[in-house]
Amino acid sequence: MDVTYTNNIENLTADQLEGFFDDWPTCPDEEAHIRILAGSCKVWLAMDGRQCVGRINAISDGVFYAYIPLLEVLPAYQGKGIGRELVERMLKSLSSMYAIDLQCDESLEGYYRQLGFMSNIGMAIRNRENQGADGQITSNST
Ligand SMILES: CC(C)(COP(=O)(O)OP(=O)(O)OC[C@H]1O[C@@H](n2cnc3c(N)ncnc32)[C@H](O)[C@@H]1OP(=O)(O)O)[C@@H](O)C(=O)NCCC(=O)NCCS
């Protein structure tokens, strides 16, 4: 298995993104997945040939604060250091930011701690009806 890394999503197509959002009850389809990545300020992908097998994205104000919403490595590729590589590449890409935040399950606290994160109380709203990622906000939205 020869995994390579890229931050170029220009020619990414839906068929290259199959298998993500594993175990999610409802999730964005591959087309919405591409829109999510296109709307992110930074993206890193792990590729096995044409197929994307891991991805991380960040959203940001571009100056001060960044948030990492999605990190995932496909099940067959987990435990091989791909997640670590994606996080390290993203942290390097975001190294000019003051704050880099994410939220995770308690079981992953140790995982992120060994990658340099500290724990921090987070609060969240989840609009479950939007979990399929059908909507969007625009600069004209109220
Ligand atoms: C979490 C996830 C991204 C990790 O990716 P991965 O490629 O499997 O992880 P890596 O192989 O890079 O693991 C890196 C290190 O973390 C360790 N690790 C893995 N899971 C861990 C955990 N839950 N707690 C502590 N350490 C952990 C590994 O042992 C490895 O240590 P090493 O480098 O000393 O051998 C992957 O398991 C995944 O996609 N899970 C499902 C989606 C998910 O939970 N995403 C996170 C949302 S916040």
Side-chain angles (χ1 to χ4, degrees):
M1 180 185 309
D2 193 12
V3 174
T4 57
Y5 296 86
T6 181
N7 56 9
N8 182 357
I9 60 163
E10 225 167 88
N11 297 316
L12 194 66
T13 52
D15 59 305
Q16 293 176 277
L17 285 171
E18 279 162 17
F20 283 92
F21 300 101
D22 187 46
D23 276 349
W24 284 47
T26 312
C27 69
D29 63 19
E30 286 82 9
E31 297 291 351
H33 196 169
I34 288 180
R35 285 190 280 121
I36 288 168
L37 299 180
S40 303
C41 73
K42 296 281 177 192
V43 173
W44 277 101
L45 306 177
M47 306 296 297
D48 184 2
R50 269 200 89 248
Q51 214 54 37
C52 182
V53 299
R55 62 97 176 82
I56 188 169
N57 71 329
I59 54 178
S60 177
D61 54 34
V63 178
F64 198 57
Y65 222 103
Y67 185 81
I68 296 175
L70 296 170
L71 165 68
E72 187 173 356
V73 175
L74 296 186
Y77 290 80
Q78 289 176 12
K80 302 175 193 306
I82 296 172
R84 167 183 287 277
E85 184 70 29
L86 288 171
V87 172
E88 286 176 347
R89 283 173 185 256
M90 183 55 84
L91 293 182
K92 203 169 170 195
S93 296
L94 298 174
S95 60
S96 65
M97 294 288 113
Y98 160 66
I100 303 163
D101 286 12
L102 57 78
Q103 287 194 314
C104 68
D105 291 345
E106 221 172 331
S107 61
L108 282 174
E109 190 183 335
Y111 180 73
Y112 286 112
R113 216 176 258 285
Q114 45 113 29
L115 287 164
F117 289 78
M118 59 185 176
S119 62
N120 195 347
I121 293 174
M123 304 292 286
I125 289 172
R126 295 290 181 267
N127 294 317
R128 298 288 173 205
E129 72 277 14
N130 294 334
Q131 205 169 19
D134 299 323
Q136 69 178 102
I137 51 171
T138 66
S139 51
N140 294 327
S141 302
T142 49

